[in-house]
PDB file of all heavy atoms in Angstrom:
ATOM      1  N   PRO A  61      62.123 -71.722  78.182  1.00  0.00           N
ATOM      2  CA  PRO A  61      62.476 -71.832  76.749  1.00  0.00           C
ATOM      3  C   PRO A  61      61.528 -71.035  75.898  1.00  0.00           C
ATOM      4  O   PRO A  61      60.336 -70.952  76.204  1.00  0.00           O
ATOM      5  CB  PRO A  61      62.434 -73.341  76.496  1.00  0.00           C
ATOM      6  CG  PRO A  61      61.340 -73.818  77.462  1.00  0.00           C
ATOM      7  CD  PRO A  61      61.417 -72.965  78.653  1.00  0.00           C
ATOM      8  N   LYS A  88      51.289 -46.263  79.462  1.00  0.00           N
ATOM      9  CA  LYS A  88      50.593 -47.536  79.419  1.00  0.00           C
ATOM     10  C   LYS A  88      51.449 -48.608  78.719  1.00  0.00           C
ATOM     11  O   LYS A  88      52.105 -48.287  77.740  1.00  0.00           O
ATOM     12  CB  LYS A  88      49.276 -47.338  78.633  1.00  0.00           C
ATOM     13  CG  LYS A  88      48.247 -46.471  79.374  1.00  0.00           C
ATOM     14  CD  LYS A  88      46.965 -46.382  78.614  1.00  0.00           C
ATOM     15  CE  LYS A  88      45.982 -45.542  79.401  1.00  0.00           C
ATOM     16  NZ  LYS A  88      44.640 -45.476  78.710  1.00  0.00           N
ATOM     17  N   TRP A 111      58.235 -74.506  61.476  1.00  0.00           N
ATOM     18  CA  TRP A 111      57.462 -73.270  61.430  1.00  0.00           C
ATOM     19  C   TRP A 111      57.415 -72.673  60.044  1.00  0.00           C
ATOM     20  O   TRP A 111      56.426 -71.995  59.639  1.00  0.00           O
ATOM     21  CB  TRP A 111      58.083 -72.297  62.404  1.00  0.00           C
ATOM     22  CG  TRP A 111      58.002 -72.750  63.841  1.00  0.00           C
ATOM     23  CD1 TRP A 111      59.022 -73.129  64.618  1.00  0.00           C
ATOM     24  CD2 TRP A 111      56.799 -72.825  64.609  1.00  0.00           C
ATOM     25  NE1 TRP A 111      58.538 -73.571  65.808  1.00  0.00           N
ATOM     26  CE2 TRP A 111      57.189 -73.274  65.848  1.00  0.00           C
ATOM     27  CE3 TRP A 111      55.444 -72.537  64.372  1.00  0.00           C
ATOM     28  CZ2 TRP A 111      56.267 -73.529  66.899  1.00  0.00           C
ATOM     29  CZ3 TRP A 111      54.547 -72.752  65.393  1.00  0.00           C
ATOM     30  CH2 TRP A 111      55.001 -73.313  66.661  1.00  0.00           C
ATOM     31  N   ASP A 121      47.192 -69.688  67.838  1.00  0.00           N
ATOM     32  CA  ASP A 121      47.939 -68.700  68.581  1.00  0.00           C
ATOM     33  C   ASP A 121      47.078 -68.155  69.734  1.00  0.00           C
ATOM     34  O   ASP A 121      45.855 -68.123  69.667  1.00  0.00           O
ATOM     35  CB  ASP A 121      48.430 -67.552  67.704  1.00  0.00           C
ATOM     36  CG  ASP A 121      47.301 -66.854  67.031  1.00  0.00           C
ATOM     37  OD1 ASP A 121      46.559 -66.095  67.641  1.00  0.00           O
ATOM     38  OD2 ASP A 121      47.159 -67.050  65.824  1.00  0.00           O
ATOM     39  N   SER A 122      47.772 -67.737  70.840  1.00  0.00           N
ATOM     40  CA  SER A 122      47.075 -67.048  71.934  1.00  0.00           C
ATOM     41  C   SER A 122      47.909 -65.790  72.282  1.00  0.00           C
ATOM     42  O   SER A 122      49.149 -65.858  72.396  1.00  0.00           O
ATOM     43  CB  SER A 122      47.051 -67.996  73.170  1.00  0.00           C
ATOM     44  OG  SER A 122      46.321 -69.159  72.906  1.00  0.00           O
ATOM     45  N   LYS A 123      47.198 -64.700  72.352  1.00  0.00           N
ATOM     46  CA  LYS A 123      47.845 -63.402  72.594  1.00  0.00           C
ATOM     47  C   LYS A 123      47.701 -62.939  74.074  1.00  0.00           C
ATOM     48  O   LYS A 123      46.597 -63.085  74.707  1.00  0.00           O
ATOM     49  CB  LYS A 123      47.322 -62.335  71.665  1.00  0.00           C
ATOM     50  CG  LYS A 123      47.542 -62.646  70.222  1.00  0.00           C
ATOM     51  CD  LYS A 123      47.005 -61.541  69.281  1.00  0.00           C
ATOM     52  CE  LYS A 123      47.322 -61.820  67.834  1.00  0.00           C
ATOM     53  NZ  LYS A 123      46.771 -60.814  66.909  1.00  0.00           N
ATOM     54  N   PRO A 147      64.023 -59.530 116.350  1.00  0.00           N
ATOM     55  CA  PRO A 147      64.814 -59.143 117.581  1.00  0.00           C
ATOM     56  C   PRO A 147      65.393 -60.369 118.199  1.00  0.00           C
ATOM     57  O   PRO A 147      64.792 -61.425 118.315  1.00  0.00           O
ATOM     58  CB  PRO A 147      63.771 -58.517 118.491  1.00  0.00           C
ATOM     59  CG  PRO A 147      62.454 -59.009 118.006  1.00  0.00           C
ATOM     60  CD  PRO A 147      62.556 -59.212 116.542  1.00  0.00           C
ATOM     61  N   GLN A 154      76.963 -67.492 130.322  1.00  0.00           N
ATOM     62  CA  GLN A 154      76.802 -68.485 131.411  1.00  0.00           C
ATOM     63  C   GLN A 154      75.526 -69.312 131.195  1.00  0.00           C
ATOM     64  O   GLN A 154      74.483 -68.777 130.869  1.00  0.00           O
ATOM     65  CB  GLN A 154      76.740 -67.820 132.753  1.00  0.00           C
ATOM     66  CG  GLN A 154      77.966 -66.950 133.038  1.00  0.00           C
ATOM     67  CD  GLN A 154      77.893 -66.219 134.402  1.00  0.00           C
ATOM     68  OE1 GLN A 154      76.883 -66.259 135.035  1.00  0.00           O
ATOM     69  NE2 GLN A 154      78.983 -65.630 134.823  1.00  0.00           N
ATOM     70  N   PRO A 157      70.070 -71.712 135.076  1.00  0.00           N
ATOM     71  CA  PRO A 157      68.919 -70.762 135.357  1.00  0.00           C
ATOM     72  C   PRO A 157      69.469 -69.492 136.020  1.00  0.00           C
ATOM     73  O   PRO A 157      70.476 -69.480 136.700  1.00  0.00           O
ATOM     74  CB  PRO A 157      68.039 -71.569 136.318  1.00  0.00           C
ATOM     75  CG  PRO A 157      68.968 -72.572 136.956  1.00  0.00           C
ATOM     76  CD  PRO A 157      69.994 -72.902 135.902  1.00  0.00           C
ATOM     77  N   GLU A 176      44.898 -56.686 154.265  1.00  0.00           N
ATOM     78  CA  GLU A 176      44.090 -56.834 155.507  1.00  0.00           C
ATOM     79  C   GLU A 176      44.929 -56.519 156.732  1.00  0.00           C
ATOM     80  O   GLU A 176      44.439 -55.908 157.706  1.00  0.00           O
ATOM     81  CB  GLU A 176      43.575 -58.290 155.578  1.00  0.00           C
ATOM     82  CG  GLU A 176      42.534 -58.609 154.463  1.00  0.00           C
ATOM     83  CD  GLU A 176      42.154 -60.079 154.504  1.00  0.00           C
ATOM     84  OE1 GLU A 176      42.731 -60.805 155.310  1.00  0.00           O
ATOM     85  OE2 GLU A 176      41.301 -60.485 153.684  1.00  0.00           O
ATOM     86  N   VAL A 205      42.646 -28.868 187.373  1.00  0.00           N
ATOM     87  CA  VAL A 205      42.284 -29.163 188.821  1.00  0.00           C
ATOM     88  C   VAL A 205      43.423 -28.905 189.715  1.00  0.00           C
ATOM     89  O   VAL A 205      43.266 -28.365 190.818  1.00  0.00           O
ATOM     90  CB  VAL A 205      41.796 -30.635 188.868  1.00  0.00           C
ATOM     91  CG1 VAL A 205      41.578 -31.032 190.335  1.00  0.00           C
ATOM     92  CG2 VAL A 205      40.571 -30.852 188.099  1.00  0.00           C
ATOM     93  N   ASN A 222      52.036 -40.910 183.194  1.00  0.00           N
ATOM     94  CA  ASN A 222      51.790 -42.240 182.743  1.00  0.00           C
ATOM     95  C   ASN A 222      51.181 -42.284 181.341  1.00  0.00           C
ATOM     96  O   ASN A 222      51.504 -43.106 180.504  1.00  0.00           O
ATOM     97  CB  ASN A 222      50.837 -42.902 183.715  1.00  0.00           C
ATOM     98  CG  ASN A 222      51.452 -43.170 185.099  1.00  0.00           C
ATOM     99  OD1 ASN A 222      52.753 -43.319 185.118  1.00  0.00           O
ATOM    100  ND2 ASN A 222      50.683 -43.262 186.132  1.00  0.00           N
ATOM    101  N   ALA A 235      54.859 -50.074 165.562  1.00  0.00           N
ATOM    102  CA  ALA A 235      55.741 -49.835 164.453  1.00  0.00           C
ATOM    103  C   ALA A 235      56.714 -50.982 164.239  1.00  0.00           C
ATOM    104  O   ALA A 235      56.988 -51.437 163.124  1.00  0.00           O
ATOM    105  CB  ALA A 235      56.537 -48.561 164.627  1.00  0.00           C
TER     106      ALA A 235
END
Side-chain angles (χ1 to χ4, degrees):
K88 293 184 179 180
W111 297 108
D121 60 72
S122 298
K123 296 181 180 180
Q154 298 178 355
E176 294 175 357
V205 173
N222 291 334

